[in-house]
Amino acid sequence: MKVRTAGEGRADDPREGGPGGSPDAEATRVFERSRPAGGAEATRVFTRDAAPVPEPVPGPLEELDGPDGPTAPEGPRGPGGPGEGEGPAGRGGGGGGPRSRGPRRWFRLRPGRIIALLLVVAIAVPPGTWAWVWWTARQDARPPSDAILVLGASQYNGRPSPIFEARLEHAAHLYEEGVAPTVITVGGNQPGDNYTEGGAGRDWLVEQGVPAGSVVAVEEGSNTLRSLEAVDEVVDANGWQSVVIVSDPWHSLRSRIMAEDQGMEAATSPVRSGPAVLERRTQLWYITRETGALWYYWLFGDTDDADIGYGTDAA
C-alpha cells in the first residue's frame, strides 16, 4: 500500500492538487492499494479528508471596529492611569483576568445578632454561676498554709451557735492534721451583745485543747467582706500569705473570691456537718441565695446588709 499526498497524484484529479484541485496538500490524503487481479495490476484509491480547519476568529481590532475605523483596545489601567482600580481592567491589575477579591467576612456583627448573643449570655450565666457555687461547695482543699481562717456566725452570750460550732470543730481537726500552725477566728458582735464572734470562737477552741498561742481572734466584722478586710490587716502584719477558709459549703466560693481580692492566697475546706448541711433541700436553697449574693458583690463590690452565710444561724 502506498500513501500519496494530493500534490503527488494525478494532475487531472481535483483531490490531488492538479488543475481545479485543492492547493492544500494537507487537506486530503490518498491511499492506494495494489493487488493482482486476473494477471493485471489493479489499483484502488481511498481518500480521507483531514480535519476541517476552524474559521478564523475575529481579532480584537476587528471586534472594536467602529464607524471611524478600528479602535485600539483599552489596556489595563495601572497606577497613575485614568480610573485606577476601577472597571474590569483596573481591578486586580490586569484586563480580562479574574477579579481579585478581598478576604471574606465570615461573621458580621449585626444588631440582631448582638441582641441574641446578649440574651444567650443573660440566660446562661446565672445557671453557670449556680453550678460553680455548687461545684466549689463539694471541694475540700487543705494545702499547707500559714493560717486556718474560721468565718464567724452567731454566738449566744459567749457560746457559739450550732453552725459556728460546726465550723470551729472542723478548724480544730485541720489544726490537728498540721494544715496550718495558727487558727484565726473572726467576727464582731451584734448590738447589745457582750461577746464577739471572734472571741467566742477563740475561747471554744482553747477549751477543746488548741493552744491559746495558736489562736488569733479578730473581733471585727459584721459580714464576710468586712471580716476579711480586718483579717487581711492581721495577715499582713504577721507576714502571712496563705489561708484555708472554713465555712459552710455553699459559702466557700464567695468567701474565697473575696479573700483573693484582698490579696490572700485562699483555699476552702467547708464543713460537712451541722444544721447548714443536714438537708439537701436546705443546701439547694442556700446555694441559690449565695449565687445572688456573689453577683451582688461582682456588680457593686460590696455585700448587702443581710449577708447570707454569715453571722446568723439562718445562714
Side-chain angles (χ1 to χ4, degrees), residues 60-315:
L61 294 178
E62 297 177 5
E63 292 179 353
L64 298 177
D65 284 350
D68 298 332
T71 304
E74 182 178 359
R77 301 174 182 177
E84 177 181 358
E86 299 178 359
R91 296 189 182 99
R99 291 166 47 187
S100 61
R101 300 180 180 179
R104 296 183 179 179
R105 297 180 180 178
W106 297 103
F107 182 78
R108 295 180 181 179
L109 288 179
R110 299 177 180 177
R113 293 177 178 176
I114 295 176
I115 295 175
L117 181 61
L118 292 177
L119 289 176
V120 170
V121 172
I123 295 174
V125 166
T129 306
W130 193 98
W132 192 15
V133 173
W134 172 82
W135 175 256
T136 305
R138 297 174 61 86
Q139 309 307 308
D140 187 353
R142 48 181 74 185
S145 304
D146 295 321
I148 301 167
L149 173 58
V150 186
L151 295 180
S154 296
Q155 55 82 30
Y156 305 120
N157 200 23
R159 191 70 186 174
S161 64
I163 286 182
F164 194 15
E165 184 174 331
R167 299 179 185 180
L168 294 168
E169 184 177 1
H170 185 65
H173 291 320
L174 295 178
Y175 176 81
E176 294 174 356
E177 293 176 3
V179 173
T182 304
V183 180
I184 301 175
T185 59
V186 62
N189 56 2
Q190 300 296 325
D193 289 348
N194 297 322
Y195 298 89
T196 63
E197 296 168 358
R202 175 197 56 202
D203 295 342
W204 189 93
L205 288 172
V206 173
E207 291 177 359
Q208 301 303 313
V210 179
S214 298
V215 182
V216 176
V218 180
E219 302 179 78
E220 300 179 37
S222 57
N223 56 43
T224 304
L225 182 58
R226 301 294 173 259
S227 295
L228 289 173
E229 291 173 346
V231 169
D232 184 53
E233 297 179 1
V234 175
V235 169
D236 288 341
N238 288 273
W240 300 332
Q241 293 182 346
S242 57
V243 296
V244 174
I245 300 175
V246 175
S247 187
D248 299 326
W250 40 266
H251 191 218
S252 296
L253 178 60
R254 183 163 62 101
S255 60
R256 188 189 72 193
I257 291 175
M258 288 181 173
E260 291 174 344
D261 289 346
Q262 297 300 319
M264 291 179 274
E265 297 177 9
T268 56
S269 181
V271 300
R272 301 300 178 191
S273 61
V277 296
L278 288 179
E279 297 182 4
R280 185 174 299 274
R281 179 180 178 182
T282 302
Q283 296 180 48
L284 296 177
W285 167 246
Y286 286 141
I287 289 175
T288 302
R289 293 180 62 191
E290 186 68 21
T291 300
L294 181 57
W295 271 101
Y296 187 95
Y297 172 72
W298 280 337
L299 293 174
F300 303 104
D302 201 353
T303 301
D304 58 358
D305 294 335
D307 182 3
I308 57 179
Y310 186 89
T312 65
D313 284 345

